[in-house]
Amino acid sequence: MNALAATSRNFKQAAKLLGLDSKLEKSLLIPFREIKVECTIPKDDGTLASYVGFRVQHDNARGPMKGGIRYHHEVDPDEVNALAQLMTWKTAVANIPYGGAKGGIGCSPGDLSISELERLTRVFTQKIHDLIGIHTDVPAPDMGTNAQTMAWILDEYSKFHGYSPAVVTGKPVDLGGSLGRDAATGRGVLFATEALLAEHGKGIAGQRFVIQGFGNVGSWAAQLITEAGGKVIKHSAENRGIKGFDGGDAVDPTSLLTEECDVLIPAALGGVINKDNADAIKAKYIIEAANHPTDPEADEILAKKGVLILPDILANSGGVTVSYFEWVQNIQGFMWDEEKVNRELKTYMTRAFRDTKEMCRSHHCDLRMGAFTLGVNRVARATVLRGWEA
Ligand SMILES: NC(=O)C1=CN([C@@H]2O[C@H](COP(=O)(O)OP(=O)(O)OC[C@H]3O[C@@H](n4cnc5c(N)ncnc54)[C@H](O)[C@@H]3O)[C@@H](O)[C@H]2O)C=CC1
Ligand SMILES: O=C(O)CCC(=O)C(=O)O
């Protein structure tokens, strides 16, 4: 199922559970603004190459819009729209004062040199600089981008608006990035998994984990779960790894979803768990480190099998939560030590899990609908409080 159709279906189900007014429901679903820009750059060999970049600003009822920028050949408007919408519900689940946005460029970053990536990032920033900002829309890394990408955006943005470290998060620590942001999404996955397993009288130690994706999120999750005593029995070692991590074997990324294990952690692309493979999944728990890895049809199949799914907007909210800490530190001009960052992250993740469970109890629903009703309800309340006056 298309990412936007899947995300909107989950939203509509949550709106129904909450009994939202139909006009409010429609207004929450439609993005605030969709930006599409053409980015042409000279390649290293002197030829020109053109790419299409997107930024979808979904909602700002609760604060500045917030979300990553993805460089991937499959980036398209519907996908970015779905990811932006997920950010709106995710920041509300985490209860941080933001709305939601997401951006991307349709490109294969592995095929571009560092200087080509820098030129592309700078051209993209030139095209969107007047629509992002510290109190309007704050980008961060996502698939295919990293702290260096954020440094280029910060530098290009600052040419137009003066030095503005808080305009992006996930930037290098030397440029005002937060200690702990690099590991934050993986660390949040660890905290959320601990909270879920504790409900069933279990801990990380001794559980067998399969992790798909070994980029920023997957590699940190693997390292931290291994340190906590979990057994990472397989991982997808394409592209990147963490120096020193020696747990697990590397196998084909699609077949590993159906490997024998206790906990499956998809940490790469969306839609990888679908009606074609859901029935073959053997894990008891799925922790969605990736965004929208599970199609709604697969959700239904897995629910019948008794598999518990910790949804993306809760499980991977550690990244945007520490992005919020980074933004706060930039605005205050005061740096936190890493221990404080990690301690606060644990508090936020544990609270988000507890609030989600509360919604599950009051709406008699699964964890995905618990998180969606929590997020959608907070955004709906803020929207109504702000009013409709033109
Ligand atoms: N970076 C962050 O802070 C956050 C990332 N996420 C989500 O986590 C997921 C991973 O993001 P990052 O780790 O930042 O990206 P990354 O670019 O650092 O790593 C992506 C990983 O996925 C693998 N991969 C790519 N295509 C694949 C395929 N077809 N099958 C299997 N593996 C494949 C790559 O080899 C790489 O190991 C994405 O869904 C992203 O939206 C969610 C919250 C925050
Ligand atoms: O750190 C952020 O601002 C956003 C991270 C992100 O893109 C995500 O949570 O999917």
Side-chain angles (χ1 to χ4, degrees), residues 66-68 87 90 102 138 140-142 169 181 291 316 319-320 323:
K66 188 86 189 80
M87 287 308 306
K90 188 185 303 185
K102 200 87 174 197
V138 182
D142 190 73
T169 60
R181 174 61 184 88
N291 282 307
N316 71 31
V320 74
S323 277

mmCIF file of all heavy atoms in Angstrom, residues 66-68 87 90 102 138 140-142 169 181 291 316 319-320 323, ligand 2:
data_model
loop_
_atom_site.group_PDB
_atom_site.id
_atom_site.type_symbol
_atom_site.label_atom_id
_atom_site.label_comp_id
_atom_site.label_asym_id
_atom_site.label_seq_id
_atom_site.Cartn_x
_atom_site.Cartn_y
_atom_site.Cartn_z
ATOM 1 N N LYS A 66 8.808 20.229 12.261
ATOM 2 C CA LYS A 66 10.071 19.552 12.550
ATOM 3 C C LYS A 66 10.119 18.220 11.827
ATOM 4 O O LYS A 66 9.146 17.478 11.824
ATOM 5 C CB LYS A 66 10.158 19.307 14.074
ATOM 6 C CG LYS A 66 11.493 18.777 14.537
ATOM 7 C CD LYS A 66 12.482 19.892 14.800
ATOM 8 C CE LYS A 66 13.888 19.390 15.045
ATOM 9 N NZ LYS A 66 14.635 19.042 13.807
ATOM 10 N N GLY A 67 11.258 17.909 11.233
ATOM 11 C CA GLY A 67 11.408 16.599 10.608
ATOM 12 C C GLY A 67 12.614 16.533 9.700
ATOM 13 O O GLY A 67 13.183 17.547 9.306
ATOM 14 N N GLY A 68 13.001 15.316 9.379
ATOM 15 C CA GLY A 68 14.244 15.065 8.654
ATOM 16 C C GLY A 68 14.184 15.376 7.169
ATOM 17 O O GLY A 68 13.128 15.683 6.605
ATOM 18 N N MET A 87 5.389 12.834 11.337
ATOM 19 C CA MET A 87 6.130 13.713 12.259
ATOM 20 C C MET A 87 5.177 14.508 13.154
ATOM 21 O O MET A 87 5.462 14.745 14.328
ATOM 22 C CB MET A 87 7.053 14.677 11.496
ATOM 23 C CG MET A 87 8.295 14.078 10.873
ATOM 24 S SD MET A 87 9.367 13.086 11.951
ATOM 25 C CE MET A 87 9.710 14.179 13.309
ATOM 26 N N LYS A 90 4.060 12.184 15.758
ATOM 27 C CA LYS A 90 5.200 11.754 16.575
ATOM 28 C C LYS A 90 5.613 12.823 17.588
ATOM 29 O O LYS A 90 5.840 12.520 18.766
ATOM 30 C CB LYS A 90 6.385 11.436 15.649
ATOM 31 C CG LYS A 90 7.573 10.793 16.342
ATOM 32 C CD LYS A 90 8.768 10.623 15.384
ATOM 33 C CE LYS A 90 8.430 9.821 14.164
ATOM 34 N NZ LYS A 90 9.615 9.571 13.300
ATOM 35 N N LYS A 102 8.632 17.082 6.675
ATOM 36 C CA LYS A 102 9.659 16.160 6.174
ATOM 37 C C LYS A 102 10.086 16.656 4.805
ATOM 38 O O LYS A 102 9.301 17.294 4.094
ATOM 39 C CB LYS A 102 9.080 14.754 6.050
ATOM 40 C CG LYS A 102 10.132 13.678 6.010
ATOM 41 C CD LYS A 102 10.500 13.262 7.424
ATOM 42 C CE LYS A 102 11.448 12.088 7.447
ATOM 43 N NZ LYS A 102 11.470 11.454 8.776
ATOM 44 N N VAL A 138 12.236 23.299 11.178
ATOM 45 C CA VAL A 138 13.619 22.965 11.562
ATOM 46 C C VAL A 138 13.981 21.571 11.041
ATOM 47 O O VAL A 138 13.582 20.559 11.619
ATOM 48 C CB VAL A 138 13.758 23.015 13.112
ATOM 49 C CG1 VAL A 138 15.197 22.729 13.539
ATOM 50 C CG2 VAL A 138 13.284 24.359 13.668
ATOM 51 N N ALA A 140 16.346 18.144 9.924
ATOM 52 C CA ALA A 140 17.267 17.241 10.646
ATOM 53 C C ALA A 140 17.654 16.121 9.677
ATOM 54 O O ALA A 140 17.095 16.029 8.589
ATOM 55 C CB ALA A 140 16.558 16.677 11.878
ATOM 56 N N PRO A 141 18.583 15.237 10.062
ATOM 57 C CA PRO A 141 18.931 14.131 9.155
ATOM 58 C C PRO A 141 17.857 13.040 9.113
ATOM 59 O O PRO A 141 17.100 12.862 10.056
ATOM 60 C CB PRO A 141 20.220 13.550 9.772
ATOM 61 C CG PRO A 141 20.648 14.485 10.834
ATOM 62 C CD PRO A 141 19.443 15.248 11.269
ATOM 63 N N ASP A 142 17.825 12.317 8.010
ATOM 64 C CA ASP A 142 17.012 11.107 7.865
ATOM 65 C C ASP A 142 17.826 10.177 6.960
ATOM 66 O O ASP A 142 19.053 10.367 6.833
ATOM 67 C CB ASP A 142 15.635 11.459 7.259
ATOM 68 C CG ASP A 142 14.660 10.286 7.300
ATOM 69 O OD1 ASP A 142 14.175 9.954 8.392
ATOM 70 O OD2 ASP A 142 14.376 9.703 6.243
ATOM 71 N N THR A 169 18.820 20.569 13.315
ATOM 72 C CA THR A 169 19.347 19.751 14.422
ATOM 73 C C THR A 169 20.018 18.519 13.817
ATOM 74 O O THR A 169 19.903 18.269 12.620
ATOM 75 C CB THR A 169 18.233 19.346 15.395
ATOM 76 O OG1 THR A 169 17.260 18.591 14.671
ATOM 77 C CG2 THR A 169 17.587 20.551 16.047
ATOM 78 N N ARG A 181 22.914 13.118 20.176
ATOM 79 C CA ARG A 181 21.914 13.105 19.087
ATOM 80 C C ARG A 181 22.182 11.983 18.090
ATOM 81 O O ARG A 181 21.257 11.345 17.589
ATOM 82 C CB ARG A 181 21.866 14.457 18.348
ATOM 83 C CG ARG A 181 20.948 14.467 17.090
ATOM 84 C CD ARG A 181 19.498 14.151 17.443
ATOM 85 N NE ARG A 181 18.585 14.046 16.307
ATOM 86 C CZ ARG A 181 18.367 12.928 15.623
ATOM 87 N NH1 ARG A 181 18.994 11.804 15.917
ATOM 88 N NH2 ARG A 181 17.491 12.916 14.637
ATOM 89 N N ASN A 291 10.428 4.408 9.706
ATOM 90 C CA ASN A 291 9.108 5.030 9.581
ATOM 91 C C ASN A 291 8.231 4.185 8.668
ATOM 92 O O ASN A 291 8.674 3.727 7.616
ATOM 93 C CB ASN A 291 9.249 6.453 9.020
ATOM 94 C CG ASN A 291 9.705 7.426 10.088
ATOM 95 O OD1 ASN A 291 9.087 7.502 11.153
ATOM 96 N ND2 ASN A 291 10.789 8.145 9.846
ATOM 97 N N ASN A 316 10.469 5.285 17.404
ATOM 98 C CA ASN A 316 11.642 6.014 16.905
ATOM 99 C C ASN A 316 11.626 7.499 17.274
ATOM 100 O O ASN A 316 12.374 8.296 16.698
ATOM 101 C CB ASN A 316 11.845 5.779 15.401
ATOM 102 C CG ASN A 316 10.794 6.448 14.531
ATOM 103 O OD1 ASN A 316 10.258 7.496 14.866
ATOM 104 N ND2 ASN A 316 10.510 5.856 13.384
ATOM 105 N N GLY A 319 14.869 10.197 18.352
ATOM 106 C CA GLY A 319 15.670 11.085 17.502
ATOM 107 C C GLY A 319 15.156 12.516 17.559
ATOM 108 O O GLY A 319 15.907 13.462 17.853
ATOM 109 N N VAL A 320 13.853 12.671 17.332
ATOM 110 C CA VAL A 320 13.313 14.035 17.330
ATOM 111 C C VAL A 320 13.290 14.608 18.755
ATOM 112 O O VAL A 320 13.394 15.827 18.949
ATOM 113 C CB VAL A 320 11.933 14.099 16.631
ATOM 114 C CG1 VAL A 320 10.817 13.498 17.464
ATOM 115 C CG2 VAL A 320 11.599 15.530 16.253
ATOM 116 N N SER A 323 16.604 15.960 19.167
ATOM 117 C CA SER A 323 16.653 17.158 18.309
ATOM 118 C C SER A 323 16.046 18.348 19.060
ATOM 119 O O SER A 323 16.542 19.476 18.976
ATOM 120 C CB SER A 323 15.873 16.920 17.010
ATOM 121 O OG SER A 323 16.665 16.254 16.068
HETATM 122 O O1 LIG B 2 15.228 14.823 14.480
HETATM 123 C C1 LIG B 2 14.312 15.289 13.817
HETATM 124 O O2 LIG B 2 13.982 16.446 13.829
HETATM 125 C C2 LIG B 2 13.487 14.426 12.885
HETATM 126 C C3 LIG B 2 13.861 12.983 12.817
HETATM 127 C C4 LIG B 2 12.984 12.330 11.801
HETATM 128 O O3 LIG B 2 13.016 12.690 10.637
HETATM 129 C C5 LIG B 2 12.068 11.291 12.209
HETATM 130 O O4 LIG B 2 11.790 11.153 13.404
HETATM 131 O O5 LIG B 2 11.550 10.573 11.331
#
